[in-house]
Amino acid sequence: MHIVLDETAMAAAGTGNVLVSRLIHRAHAEAGWYLYAPACALVEADRTRPGTAEHLAALPGITVVDLDLAAVLAVAQQATWAQAHTRHAAQPTPDRPDGAVIATTTPERWKGEPVRVLDLTP
């Protein structure tokens, strides 16, 4: 299972959201579970809840997704960097032909987007 955390899910990790905590635990403890934190979304999560970026980046079950050229081009076409980088990170790749699911506490913001969403609203 490949899951991309948006900035709302990342910020929720620091507030005790049990669903986010379970995802983090699974990514660390179970084979086949992967969590991704797009760098632009990590910045926004840290602005919302200072310390989030450092904390999440230190967790062994989370992979920080760098802002490469393809991501830069995707971000340049969207209104918010965090949402654009998250959407880009969830797109299919050779390693993830089905793409990834976006974990969020605000699923309504992803309506109309060509992505699968995992609602982490408690």
Side-chain angles (χ1 to χ4, degrees), residues 28-104:
H28 176 68
E30 295 183 30
W33 282 79
Y34 305 94
L35 280 184
Y36 304 95
C40 292
L42 200 54
V43 168
E44 283 304 313
D46 201 70
R47 286 180 178 166
T48 301
R49 185 167 174 79
T52 299
E54 186 175 4
H55 175 72
L56 289 178
L59 295 174
I62 296 180
T63 301
V64 175
V65 180
D66 293 331
L67 193 62
D68 61 8
L69 179 58
V72 168
L73 297 175
V75 166
Q77 298 174 8
Q78 299 294 322
T80 71
W81 287 36
Q83 190 168 355
H85 197 195
T86 301
R87 179 180 167 191
H88 175 75
Q91 297 305 306
T93 66
D95 294 341
R96 296 184 322 256
D98 294 328
V101 176
I102 295 176
T104 183

